[in-house]
Structures are given as structure tokens and as C-alpha cells.
Amino acid sequence: MGEDFEAVLTGVGPRLRAIRQQHGTTLAQLSEQTGISVSTLSRLESGGRRPTLELLLPLARAHGVALDELVDAPPTGDPRVRLRPFVRHGWTYLPLARNLGGMQAYKMVVPAGSSRENCEQRTHEGHEWLYVLSGELLLKLGEHEVVLKAGEAAEFDTRTPHLFTNAGRTPVEFLSLFGPQGERVHVRARTANRAEKEGD
């Protein structure tokens, strides 16, 4: 029992870092939201500070997730993932996986008129894969731009400066898979035109 408890505590730090990076939040921004110092947040993520309920409760509220998701509470036998959507800057996130410490999966909905084009591109460790379900998604990678439509996918190293936003007049819905560096999703985007040409 003691070993299981220590394993749970050890996994909290990586999950905290992963969910913060997925939301595009800096340690300084999270510190402002929670009142927890940047140094304490940094030590929590690196495992140098033992997580306590006093620290985890404001972090769960700031991230819009349930407390049991931060501590990765053992499943009760039900394999279904209980979706708890949360909203950040007008974007809706629906978590599709329990394990926030490794590969993460989200369905994201960006309403029409919601734009991040004036925001700066960001970089961080990891690899991301996007698949558009409906609408149009503008993906900026460094100096390059591409508009992904329903049925199209893209993958990229998140150390490349990147930004994505709604490119159309209707909401865009897409799936996002994100994992630590090395956990690449080996799927390449194929445009509708390429697929038609290859089918000829």
C-alpha cells in the first residue's frame, strides 16, 4: 500500500507539467491564478516538492480538471473515460484520456470568430498530432502556414514555434494528441486532392 501511495505521488509532478503545457500556461501565469509561488510550482513539477491537498486544490481549479485526474486515482473497473470539458480563452477542451503524465488526447472546439492570430507562437518539448473533424484549422509552423480541413491531419515537433486557430466562419472541431519527445504518432497528412489523385 505504501509503495502504491508513493508511486501516485511521484506521478503527480509530470502530470502537472503536462497539463500546464497543453493549456499553454506559463509558471508565472499559473502562479498568478493560484497564489502559489513560481519556485513551489517548479519544484512540484520536478518532484522536488511533495504534493499536498492545499497545493493541488487550487491547481485543479486553475486547470479546470477534477482532483482525481491530477493524482491519477486508480480506476474502479469502469474503462470509460469520464469527459469533463473545460473552457480556456473561449476554446472548449474535452479530455479523452486519463493519463496526463504521458500521451494526452483532447477533442477541441474553437468557435467562429475566435482567433489567436495576434498571439505569439510558442515552443515546448514534445510532439503533437492534429486531426480535423469539422471546420477549418489554421496551423502556423515557424514561417509556414497551412489550413487543415475536415479529414486532414498534421503532426509536428512542438520545439518548432507553432500556433493554431480557427480559419473559417464556422466552429472548428479537431482532435489533438500530445506526448513527450520521442512518442511520435506516425501518421502523415493527406489532402483531399492527393487522395483523389492517388485513387485515379
Short mmCIF file of all heavy atoms in Angstrom, two decimals, residues 70-128:
data_model
loop_
_atom_site.label_atom_id
_atom_site.label_comp_id
_atom_site.label_asym_id
_atom_site.label_seq_id
_atom_site.Cartn_x
_atom_site.Cartn_y
_atom_site.Cartn_z
N LEU A 70 -5.53 14.81 -11.33
CA LEU A 70 -4.17 15.26 -11.03
C LEU A 70 -3.39 14.18 -10.31
O LEU A 70 -2.18 14.03 -10.50
CB LEU A 70 -4.22 16.52 -10.15
CG LEU A 70 -4.73 17.81 -10.81
CD1 LEU A 70 -4.60 18.97 -9.83
CD2 LEU A 70 -3.95 18.12 -12.08
N VAL A 71 -4.06 13.41 -9.46
CA VAL A 71 -3.35 12.37 -8.69
C VAL A 71 -3.48 11.01 -9.35
O VAL A 71 -2.96 10.01 -8.85
CB VAL A 71 -3.86 12.30 -7.24
CG1 VAL A 71 -3.63 13.61 -6.53
CG2 VAL A 71 -5.35 11.93 -7.18
N ASP A 72 -4.20 10.95 -10.50
CA ASP A 72 -4.35 9.70 -11.23
C ASP A 72 -4.90 8.61 -10.33
O ASP A 72 -4.29 7.56 -10.14
CB ASP A 72 -3.01 9.25 -11.83
CG ASP A 72 -3.20 8.16 -12.89
OD1 ASP A 72 -4.29 8.11 -13.48
OD2 ASP A 72 -2.26 7.38 -13.09
N ALA A 73 -6.09 8.88 -9.75
CA ALA A 73 -6.72 7.90 -8.87
C ALA A 73 -6.92 6.59 -9.61
O ALA A 73 -7.30 6.58 -10.78
CB ALA A 73 -8.05 8.44 -8.38
N PRO A 74 -6.68 5.44 -8.95
CA PRO A 74 -6.82 4.14 -9.60
C PRO A 74 -8.23 3.94 -10.14
O PRO A 74 -9.21 4.33 -9.49
CB PRO A 74 -6.54 3.15 -8.46
CG PRO A 74 -5.74 3.93 -7.48
CD PRO A 74 -6.26 5.32 -7.55
N PRO A 75 -8.38 3.37 -11.33
CA PRO A 75 -9.71 3.14 -11.90
C PRO A 75 -10.49 2.14 -11.06
O PRO A 75 -9.91 1.27 -10.42
CB PRO A 75 -9.40 2.58 -13.30
CG PRO A 75 -8.01 2.03 -13.20
CD PRO A 75 -7.30 2.91 -12.21
N THR A 76 -11.81 2.26 -11.10
CA THR A 76 -12.66 1.39 -10.28
C THR A 76 -13.18 0.20 -11.06
O THR A 76 -14.05 -0.50 -10.59
CB THR A 76 -13.86 2.20 -9.74
OG1 THR A 76 -14.58 2.73 -10.86
CG2 THR A 76 -13.39 3.34 -8.85
N GLY A 77 -12.68 -0.03 -12.25
CA GLY A 77 -13.13 -1.15 -13.06
C GLY A 77 -13.91 -0.71 -14.28
O GLY A 77 -14.11 -1.47 -15.20
N ASP A 78 -14.36 0.54 -14.30
CA ASP A 78 -15.09 1.08 -15.44
C ASP A 78 -14.08 1.66 -16.42
O ASP A 78 -13.39 2.62 -16.10
CB ASP A 78 -16.05 2.16 -14.96
CG ASP A 78 -16.97 2.65 -16.09
OD1 ASP A 78 -16.69 2.33 -17.27
OD2 ASP A 78 -17.95 3.34 -15.78
N PRO A 79 -13.96 1.07 -17.62
CA PRO A 79 -12.94 1.54 -18.57
C PRO A 79 -13.30 2.85 -19.26
O PRO A 79 -12.46 3.44 -19.94
CB PRO A 79 -12.87 0.40 -19.59
CG PRO A 79 -14.25 -0.16 -19.59
CD PRO A 79 -14.73 -0.05 -18.15
N ARG A 80 -14.53 3.30 -19.09
CA ARG A 80 -14.93 4.53 -19.78
C ARG A 80 -14.24 5.74 -19.18
O ARG A 80 -14.08 5.85 -17.97
CB ARG A 80 -16.45 4.70 -19.70
CG ARG A 80 -17.23 3.66 -20.49
CD ARG A 80 -18.71 3.79 -20.23
NE ARG A 80 -19.02 3.50 -18.83
CZ ARG A 80 -20.26 3.52 -18.32
NH1 ARG A 80 -21.27 3.83 -19.11
NH2 ARG A 80 -20.47 3.25 -17.05
N VAL A 81 -13.84 6.66 -20.05
CA VAL A 81 -13.24 7.91 -19.60
C VAL A 81 -14.36 8.92 -19.37
O VAL A 81 -15.16 9.18 -20.27
CB VAL A 81 -12.25 8.46 -20.64
CG1 VAL A 81 -11.69 9.80 -20.18
CG2 VAL A 81 -11.12 7.46 -20.87
N ARG A 82 -14.45 9.45 -18.17
CA ARG A 82 -15.49 10.43 -17.86
C ARG A 82 -15.03 11.79 -18.37
O ARG A 82 -14.11 12.38 -17.83
CB ARG A 82 -15.74 10.46 -16.35
CG ARG A 82 -16.36 9.18 -15.81
CD ARG A 82 -16.37 9.19 -14.30
NE ARG A 82 -15.02 9.14 -13.77
CZ ARG A 82 -14.72 9.32 -12.49
NH1 ARG A 82 -15.67 9.59 -11.63
NH2 ARG A 82 -13.47 9.24 -12.07
N LEU A 83 -15.68 12.26 -19.42
CA LEU A 83 -15.29 13.52 -20.04
C LEU A 83 -15.69 14.69 -19.17
O LEU A 83 -16.84 14.83 -18.78
CB LEU A 83 -15.93 13.64 -21.42
CG LEU A 83 -15.64 12.52 -22.41
CD1 LEU A 83 -16.31 12.81 -23.73
CD2 LEU A 83 -14.13 12.38 -22.61
N ARG A 84 -14.75 15.54 -18.85
CA ARG A 84 -15.02 16.75 -18.08
C ARG A 84 -14.53 17.93 -18.91
O ARG A 84 -13.37 18.32 -18.82
CB ARG A 84 -14.30 16.72 -16.73
CG ARG A 84 -14.82 15.65 -15.79
CD ARG A 84 -14.16 15.81 -14.43
NE ARG A 84 -14.60 14.80 -13.49
CZ ARG A 84 -14.02 13.62 -13.32
NH1 ARG A 84 -12.95 13.32 -14.03
NH2 ARG A 84 -14.49 12.75 -12.45
N PRO A 85 -15.37 18.47 -19.77
CA PRO A 85 -14.93 19.59 -20.61
C PRO A 85 -14.60 20.82 -19.78
O PRO A 85 -15.19 21.05 -18.73
CB PRO A 85 -16.13 19.83 -21.53
CG PRO A 85 -17.30 19.29 -20.78
CD PRO A 85 -16.79 18.13 -19.99
N PHE A 86 -13.64 21.59 -20.25
CA PHE A 86 -13.33 22.87 -19.63
C PHE A 86 -13.05 23.88 -20.73
O PHE A 86 -12.77 23.51 -21.88
CB PHE A 86 -12.14 22.76 -18.67
CG PHE A 86 -10.87 22.25 -19.28
CD1 PHE A 86 -9.93 23.13 -19.81
CD2 PHE A 86 -10.59 20.89 -19.33
CE1 PHE A 86 -8.75 22.67 -20.37
CE2 PHE A 86 -9.41 20.42 -19.88
CZ PHE A 86 -8.49 21.31 -20.40
N VAL A 87 -13.18 25.14 -20.40
CA VAL A 87 -13.04 26.21 -21.39
C VAL A 87 -11.85 27.09 -21.04
O VAL A 87 -11.67 27.48 -19.88
CB VAL A 87 -14.32 27.07 -21.45
CG1 VAL A 87 -14.15 28.21 -22.46
CG2 VAL A 87 -15.52 26.21 -21.81
N ARG A 88 -11.01 27.38 -22.04
CA ARG A 88 -9.87 28.27 -21.89
C ARG A 88 -9.87 29.25 -23.07
O ARG A 88 -9.82 28.83 -24.22
CB ARG A 88 -8.54 27.48 -21.87
CG ARG A 88 -8.27 26.75 -20.58
CD ARG A 88 -7.91 27.71 -19.47
NE ARG A 88 -7.66 27.02 -18.22
CZ ARG A 88 -8.59 26.69 -17.33
NH1 ARG A 88 -9.85 26.98 -17.57
NH2 ARG A 88 -8.27 26.08 -16.21
N HIS A 89 -9.97 30.55 -22.77
CA HIS A 89 -9.93 31.60 -23.79
C HIS A 89 -10.98 31.36 -24.88
O HIS A 89 -10.74 31.61 -26.06
CB HIS A 89 -8.54 31.67 -24.42
CG HIS A 89 -7.43 31.81 -23.44
ND1 HIS A 89 -7.28 32.93 -22.64
CD2 HIS A 89 -6.43 30.95 -23.08
CE1 HIS A 89 -6.23 32.76 -21.85
NE2 HIS A 89 -5.70 31.58 -22.09
N GLY A 90 -12.14 30.83 -24.48
CA GLY A 90 -13.22 30.59 -25.42
C GLY A 90 -13.16 29.25 -26.13
O GLY A 90 -14.08 28.87 -26.85
N TRP A 91 -12.05 28.52 -25.94
CA TRP A 91 -11.90 27.20 -26.55
C TRP A 91 -12.40 26.14 -25.58
O TRP A 91 -12.13 26.20 -24.38
CB TRP A 91 -10.44 26.91 -26.87
CG TRP A 91 -9.84 27.78 -27.93
CD1 TRP A 91 -10.13 29.07 -28.21
CD2 TRP A 91 -8.82 27.40 -28.86
NE1 TRP A 91 -9.36 29.53 -29.24
CE2 TRP A 91 -8.54 28.53 -29.66
CE3 TRP A 91 -8.12 26.21 -29.08
CZ2 TRP A 91 -7.60 28.50 -30.68
CZ3 TRP A 91 -7.16 26.19 -30.09
CH2 TRP A 91 -6.91 27.32 -30.88
N THR A 92 -13.12 25.13 -26.09
CA THR A 92 -13.60 24.03 -25.26
C THR A 92 -12.69 22.82 -25.44
O THR A 92 -12.39 22.40 -26.56
CB THR A 92 -15.04 23.64 -25.65
OG1 THR A 92 -15.89 24.79 -25.48
CG2 THR A 92 -15.55 22.52 -24.76
N TYR A 93 -12.24 22.27 -24.31
CA TYR A 93 -11.36 21.10 -24.31
C TYR A 93 -12.12 19.92 -23.69
O TYR A 93 -12.68 20.06 -22.59
CB TYR A 93 -10.11 21.34 -23.47
CG TYR A 93 -9.19 22.43 -23.97
CD1 TYR A 93 -9.52 23.77 -23.85
CD2 TYR A 93 -7.96 22.10 -24.57
CE1 TYR A 93 -8.68 24.77 -24.31
CE2 TYR A 93 -7.10 23.10 -25.01
CZ TYR A 93 -7.47 24.43 -24.88
OH TYR A 93 -6.62 25.41 -25.32
N LEU A 94 -12.14 18.78 -24.36
CA LEU A 94 -12.73 17.57 -23.81
C LEU A 94 -11.63 16.52 -23.68
O LEU A 94 -11.18 15.95 -24.68
CB LEU A 94 -13.84 17.03 -24.71
CG LEU A 94 -15.14 17.83 -24.77
CD1 LEU A 94 -15.02 18.95 -25.80
CD2 LEU A 94 -16.32 16.94 -25.14
N PRO A 95 -11.16 16.24 -22.46
CA PRO A 95 -10.12 15.22 -22.28
C PRO A 95 -10.63 13.85 -22.72
O PRO A 95 -11.75 13.46 -22.39
CB PRO A 95 -9.85 15.26 -20.77
CG PRO A 95 -10.38 16.59 -20.31
CD PRO A 95 -11.55 16.88 -21.19
N LEU A 96 -9.81 13.12 -23.45
CA LEU A 96 -10.18 11.80 -23.95
C LEU A 96 -9.33 10.70 -23.34
O LEU A 96 -9.46 9.53 -23.73
CB LEU A 96 -10.05 11.76 -25.48
CG LEU A 96 -10.90 12.78 -26.24
CD1 LEU A 96 -10.64 12.67 -27.73
CD2 LEU A 96 -12.39 12.57 -25.95
N ALA A 97 -8.45 11.03 -22.42
CA ALA A 97 -7.58 10.03 -21.81
C ALA A 97 -7.32 10.40 -20.36
O ALA A 97 -7.32 11.58 -20.00
CB ALA A 97 -6.26 9.91 -22.57
N ARG A 98 -7.10 9.39 -19.51
CA ARG A 98 -6.86 9.62 -18.09
C ARG A 98 -5.41 10.02 -17.80
O ARG A 98 -5.14 10.79 -16.91
CB ARG A 98 -7.17 8.36 -17.28
CG ARG A 98 -8.64 8.02 -17.15
CD ARG A 98 -8.84 6.95 -16.09
NE ARG A 98 -10.24 6.59 -15.94
CZ ARG A 98 -10.80 5.56 -16.52
NH1 ARG A 98 -10.09 4.77 -17.31
NH2 ARG A 98 -12.08 5.28 -16.34
N ASN A 99 -4.49 9.44 -18.55
CA ASN A 99 -3.07 9.58 -18.21
C ASN A 99 -2.51 10.92 -18.67
O ASN A 99 -2.11 11.09 -19.81
CB ASN A 99 -2.26 8.44 -18.84
CG ASN A 99 -0.80 8.49 -18.42
OD1 ASN A 99 -0.44 9.23 -17.50
ND2 ASN A 99 0.02 7.70 -19.06
N LEU A 100 -2.45 11.88 -17.76
CA LEU A 100 -1.93 13.20 -18.10
C LEU A 100 -0.41 13.25 -18.05
O LEU A 100 0.19 14.25 -18.39
CB LEU A 100 -2.51 14.26 -17.14
CG LEU A 100 -4.02 14.44 -17.24
CD1 LEU A 100 -4.50 15.43 -16.20
CD2 LEU A 100 -4.43 14.91 -18.62
N GLY A 101 0.23 12.18 -17.61
CA GLY A 101 1.67 12.17 -17.49
C GLY A 101 2.37 11.70 -18.75
O GLY A 101 3.56 11.90 -18.95
N GLY A 102 1.62 11.04 -19.64
CA GLY A 102 2.21 10.54 -20.88
C GLY A 102 1.48 11.13 -22.08
O GLY A 102 1.31 12.33 -22.18
N MET A 103 1.05 10.26 -22.99
CA MET A 103 0.32 10.71 -24.16
C MET A 103 -1.02 11.29 -23.74
O MET A 103 -1.76 10.69 -22.97
CB MET A 103 0.10 9.55 -25.13
CG MET A 103 -0.57 9.95 -26.42
SD MET A 103 0.45 11.03 -27.47
CE MET A 103 1.68 9.85 -28.05
N GLN A 104 -1.34 12.49 -24.23
CA GLN A 104 -2.60 13.16 -23.91
C GLN A 104 -3.47 13.23 -25.15
O GLN A 104 -2.96 13.37 -26.26
CB GLN A 104 -2.34 14.57 -23.41
CG GLN A 104 -1.46 14.65 -22.18
CD GLN A 104 -1.05 16.09 -21.90
OE1 GLN A 104 -1.90 16.95 -21.75
NE2 GLN A 104 0.24 16.35 -21.85
N ALA A 105 -4.78 13.13 -24.94
CA ALA A 105 -5.72 13.20 -26.05
C ALA A 105 -6.86 14.14 -25.70
O ALA A 105 -7.44 14.04 -24.62
CB ALA A 105 -6.26 11.81 -26.38
N TYR A 106 -7.17 15.06 -26.60
CA TYR A 106 -8.24 16.01 -26.39
C TYR A 106 -9.06 16.17 -27.67
O TYR A 106 -8.52 16.10 -28.78
CB TYR A 106 -7.71 17.40 -26.03
CG TYR A 106 -7.10 17.52 -24.68
CD1 TYR A 106 -5.74 17.26 -24.48
CD2 TYR A 106 -7.86 17.93 -23.58
CE1 TYR A 106 -5.16 17.38 -23.22
CE2 TYR A 106 -7.29 18.05 -22.31
CZ TYR A 106 -5.95 17.78 -22.14
OH TYR A 106 -5.38 17.89 -20.91
N LYS A 107 -10.37 16.39 -27.49
CA LYS A 107 -11.18 16.92 -28.57
C LYS A 107 -11.32 18.40 -28.26
O LYS A 107 -11.66 18.77 -27.12
CB LYS A 107 -12.56 16.27 -28.64
CG LYS A 107 -13.44 16.88 -29.72
CD LYS A 107 -14.83 16.27 -29.73
CE LYS A 107 -15.71 16.95 -30.78
NZ LYS A 107 -17.09 16.39 -30.80
N MET A 108 -11.06 19.25 -29.25
CA MET A 108 -11.09 20.69 -29.02
C MET A 108 -12.09 21.35 -29.97
O MET A 108 -12.19 20.95 -31.14
CB MET A 108 -9.69 21.28 -29.20
CG MET A 108 -8.69 20.68 -28.22
SD MET A 108 -6.95 21.08 -28.57
CE MET A 108 -6.93 22.82 -28.24
N VAL A 109 -12.83 22.31 -29.45
CA VAL A 109 -13.82 23.04 -30.24
C VAL A 109 -13.50 24.52 -30.16
O VAL A 109 -13.44 25.10 -29.07
CB VAL A 109 -15.25 22.78 -29.72
CG1 VAL A 109 -16.26 23.51 -30.60
CG2 VAL A 109 -15.56 21.28 -29.67
N VAL A 110 -13.29 25.14 -31.32
CA VAL A 110 -12.96 26.56 -31.39
C VAL A 110 -14.10 27.27 -32.12
O VAL A 110 -14.34 27.00 -33.30
CB VAL A 110 -11.64 26.81 -32.13
CG1 VAL A 110 -11.27 28.29 -32.08
CG2 VAL A 110 -10.52 25.96 -31.54
N PRO A 111 -14.83 28.16 -31.44
CA PRO A 111 -15.97 28.83 -32.08
C PRO A 111 -15.53 29.77 -33.20
O PRO A 111 -14.39 30.22 -33.25
CB PRO A 111 -16.62 29.60 -30.93
CG PRO A 111 -15.51 29.83 -29.96
CD PRO A 111 -14.64 28.61 -30.06
N ALA A 112 -16.46 30.06 -34.08
CA ALA A 112 -16.19 31.02 -35.16
C ALA A 112 -15.91 32.38 -34.55
O ALA A 112 -16.51 32.77 -33.55
CB ALA A 112 -17.39 31.10 -36.10
N GLY A 113 -14.96 33.09 -35.14
CA GLY A 113 -14.62 34.41 -34.64
C GLY A 113 -13.61 34.39 -33.51
O GLY A 113 -13.16 35.43 -33.06
N SER A 114 -13.24 33.18 -33.06
CA SER A 114 -12.22 33.07 -32.01
C SER A 114 -10.87 32.93 -32.68
O SER A 114 -10.59 31.94 -33.35
CB SER A 114 -12.50 31.85 -31.13
OG SER A 114 -11.46 31.68 -30.18
N SER A 115 -10.03 33.92 -32.54
CA SER A 115 -8.75 33.93 -33.25
C SER A 115 -7.59 34.15 -32.31
O SER A 115 -7.68 34.91 -31.35
CB SER A 115 -8.75 35.03 -34.33
OG SER A 115 -7.49 35.13 -34.94
N ARG A 116 -6.49 33.48 -32.60
CA ARG A 116 -5.25 33.68 -31.85
C ARG A 116 -4.15 34.16 -32.78
O ARG A 116 -2.98 34.03 -32.48
CB ARG A 116 -4.82 32.37 -31.18
CG ARG A 116 -5.71 31.94 -30.03
CD ARG A 116 -5.17 30.70 -29.38
NE ARG A 116 -5.97 30.27 -28.25
CZ ARG A 116 -5.77 29.15 -27.56
NH1 ARG A 116 -4.77 28.36 -27.88
NH2 ARG A 116 -6.54 28.83 -26.55
N GLU A 117 -4.54 34.70 -33.91
CA GLU A 117 -3.54 35.08 -34.92
C GLU A 117 -2.59 36.14 -34.41
O GLU A 117 -1.48 36.28 -34.89
CB GLU A 117 -4.25 35.54 -36.20
CG GLU A 117 -4.99 34.41 -36.92
CD GLU A 117 -5.48 34.85 -38.28
OE1 GLU A 117 -4.78 35.64 -38.92
OE2 GLU A 117 -6.55 34.39 -38.69
N ASN A 118 -3.06 36.97 -33.45
CA ASN A 118 -2.19 38.02 -32.93
C ASN A 118 -1.32 37.54 -31.77
O ASN A 118 -0.50 38.28 -31.26
CB ASN A 118 -3.04 39.21 -32.48
CG ASN A 118 -3.76 39.87 -33.66
OD1 ASN A 118 -3.22 39.92 -34.76
ND2 ASN A 118 -4.97 40.34 -33.43
N CYS A 119 -1.54 36.29 -31.35
CA CYS A 119 -0.74 35.74 -30.26
C CYS A 119 0.60 35.25 -30.80
O CYS A 119 0.75 34.98 -31.99
CB CYS A 119 -1.48 34.57 -29.60
SG CYS A 119 -3.02 35.05 -28.80
N GLU A 120 1.56 35.15 -29.91
CA GLU A 120 2.88 34.67 -30.32
C GLU A 120 2.89 33.16 -30.42
O GLU A 120 2.22 32.46 -29.67
CB GLU A 120 3.93 35.12 -29.30
CG GLU A 120 4.16 36.63 -29.27
CD GLU A 120 5.27 37.00 -28.32
OE1 GLU A 120 5.84 36.09 -27.68
OE2 GLU A 120 5.58 38.19 -28.22
N GLN A 121 3.67 32.66 -31.37
CA GLN A 121 3.86 31.22 -31.47
C GLN A 121 4.65 30.76 -30.25
O GLN A 121 5.44 31.50 -29.69
CB GLN A 121 4.62 30.87 -32.75
CG GLN A 121 3.85 31.18 -34.02
CD GLN A 121 4.66 30.89 -35.27
OE1 GLN A 121 5.85 31.19 -35.31
NE2 GLN A 121 4.04 30.32 -36.27
N ARG A 122 4.43 29.53 -29.82
CA ARG A 122 5.12 29.03 -28.65
C ARG A 122 5.86 27.73 -28.97
O ARG A 122 5.58 27.07 -29.97
CB ARG A 122 4.14 28.81 -27.48
CG ARG A 122 3.06 27.79 -27.75
CD ARG A 122 1.99 27.84 -26.68
NE ARG A 122 0.94 26.85 -26.90
CZ ARG A 122 0.91 25.67 -26.33
NH1 ARG A 122 1.86 25.29 -25.51
NH2 ARG A 122 -0.07 24.82 -26.58
N THR A 123 6.80 27.40 -28.12
CA THR A 123 7.56 26.16 -28.28
C THR A 123 7.63 25.46 -26.93
O THR A 123 7.57 26.09 -25.87
CB THR A 123 8.99 26.44 -28.76
OG1 THR A 123 9.67 27.23 -27.77
CG2 THR A 123 9.00 27.18 -30.08
N HIS A 124 7.74 24.13 -26.96
CA HIS A 124 7.94 23.34 -25.75
C HIS A 124 8.33 21.93 -26.18
O HIS A 124 8.21 21.56 -27.35
CB HIS A 124 6.68 23.32 -24.87
CG HIS A 124 5.42 22.95 -25.62
ND1 HIS A 124 5.01 21.65 -25.81
CD2 HIS A 124 4.48 23.73 -26.21
CE1 HIS A 124 3.88 21.64 -26.48
NE2 HIS A 124 3.54 22.89 -26.75
N GLU A 125 8.81 21.14 -25.26
CA GLU A 125 9.20 19.77 -25.56
C GLU A 125 7.97 18.94 -25.89
O GLU A 125 6.92 19.09 -25.27
CB GLU A 125 9.93 19.15 -24.36
CG GLU A 125 11.33 19.69 -24.13
CD GLU A 125 12.28 19.33 -25.25
OE1 GLU A 125 12.19 18.20 -25.77
OE2 GLU A 125 13.11 20.17 -25.63
N GLY A 126 8.10 18.07 -26.87
CA GLY A 126 7.01 17.16 -27.17
C GLY A 126 6.73 17.03 -28.65
O GLY A 126 7.47 17.56 -29.50
N HIS A 127 5.67 16.29 -28.95
CA HIS A 127 5.27 16.06 -30.33
C HIS A 127 3.74 16.09 -30.36
O HIS A 127 3.10 15.57 -29.44
CB HIS A 127 5.78 14.71 -30.82
CG HIS A 127 5.98 14.68 -32.30
ND1 HIS A 127 7.14 15.11 -32.90
CD2 HIS A 127 5.16 14.29 -33.31
CE1 HIS A 127 7.03 14.97 -34.22
NE2 HIS A 127 5.83 14.48 -34.48
N GLU A 128 3.16 16.71 -31.38
CA GLU A 128 1.70 16.84 -31.43
C GLU A 128 1.16 16.38 -32.77
O GLU A 128 1.79 16.54 -33.81
CB GLU A 128 1.29 18.29 -31.17
CG GLU A 128 -0.21 18.47 -30.96
CD GLU A 128 -0.54 19.72 -30.16
OE1 GLU A 128 0.39 20.45 -29.79
OE2 GLU A 128 -1.74 19.96 -29.92
#
